[in-house]
Amino acid sequence: MRPLTEEETKMVFEKLYKFIGKDIKSMIERPDGRYCLRLHKNRVYYVSEALMKKATNIARDKLVSLGTPVGKLTHSGKFRLTVGALDLLSRYAKHKVWLKPSAEMQYLYGNHVVKSGLGRITENTPAYTGVVVYSMSDIPLGFGLSAKSTNECRSMEPNGIVVLHQADVGEYLRAEDEL
């Protein structure tokens, strides 16, 4: 487990900025202690500094995981958020989308959100920004990119795509070997 390089940190923070904006600082410096991002076997983890100091007693090859998995670095060198980041994103998200109960299962199967399944959307959500997808009972289901702004959503057809799917909690079942 090692700290992220300058370039890796920039990639991670740029991706997180799409979803949580300027709250990145409050994500790192929380009231219950300081948190940091660490890299282990091409996976980025969000871990408290106190827990990380305790983990230094464990050999790197014996360490399986530590903290919350936020994402992974691909072979091409890009950063990809994984479903493990959903808890963090839902806590600090600026833009949110709520799904109707009839559209939840379609989203959990990995499909995009269409307007007919849209329950509510945060006001002033711009196009192509990060959004967290919730059920109508405020349970976070996943996250993605808004395909249209809030104003464009009002006038679009019912089968138009509103949110581009990136990750959802259904991945725990679909890709449990990779997680």
Side-chain angles (χ1 to χ4, degrees):
M1 182 144 308
R2 68 168 176 82
L4 298 172
T5 64
E6 192 73 30
E7 185 178 314
E8 292 166 345
T9 304
K10 183 181 176 197
M11 283 191 299
V12 172
F13 282 161
E14 282 176 355
K15 186 69 82 164
L16 288 173
Y17 184 80
K18 286 182 180 180
F19 290 91
I20 62 177
K22 295 179 182 175
D23 282 345
I24 291 176
K25 184 174 182 176
S26 62
M27 182 184 89
I28 300 296
E29 297 175 4
R30 290 177 27 180
D32 58 338
R34 288 184 56 89
Y35 283 71
C36 58
L37 295 168
R38 291 291 185 250
L39 184 74
H40 183 64
K41 298 180 182 175
N42 284 342
R43 302 233 180 237
V44 177
Y45 293 94
Y46 176 74
V47 61
S48 70
E49 288 186 354
L51 181 62
M52 206 200 52
K53 288 178 184 174
K54 292 176 184 174
T56 56
N57 297 332
I58 301 170
R60 278 188 183 182
D61 59 328
K62 303 286 186 200
L63 188 65
V64 176
S65 177
L66 180 69
T68 305
V70 174
K72 64 181 181 179
L73 293 173
T74 62
H75 294 292
S76 62
K78 295 193 178 357
F79 177 71
R80 181 174 174 264
L81 281 171
T82 58
V83 70
L86 181 60
D87 183 45
L88 276 175
L89 296 178
S90 65
R91 191 176 310 153
Y92 298 104
K94 292 190 311 184
H95 305 292
K96 302 174 184 179
V97 169
W98 288 266
L99 296 183
K100 293 178 181 175
S102 60
E104 287 178 16
M105 286 308 293
Q106 287 299 315
Y107 182 74
L108 293 177
Y109 286 137
N111 297 321
H112 301 307
V113 176
V114 293
K115 187 186 182 236
S116 62
L118 186 66
R120 292 189 323 224
I121 187 169
T122 308
E123 282 296 318
N124 301 325
T125 301
Y128 304 109
T129 190
V131 293
V132 177
V133 179
Y134 290 90
S135 67
M136 288 305 273
S137 55
D138 284 333
I139 298 170
L141 299 175
F143 56 89
L145 292 177
S146 61
K148 305 282 184 189
S149 67
T150 304
N151 292 334
E152 291 171 327
C153 286
R154 291 187 181 116
S155 62
M156 68 187 296
E157 55 194 46
N159 61 351
I161 295 175
V162 177
V163 177
L164 301 170
H165 178 273
Q166 281 191 340
D168 63 81
V169 293
E171 285 183 30
Y172 286 122
L173 297 174
R174 290 194 312 269
E176 63 183 308
D177 295 337
E178 299 169 16
L179 296 174

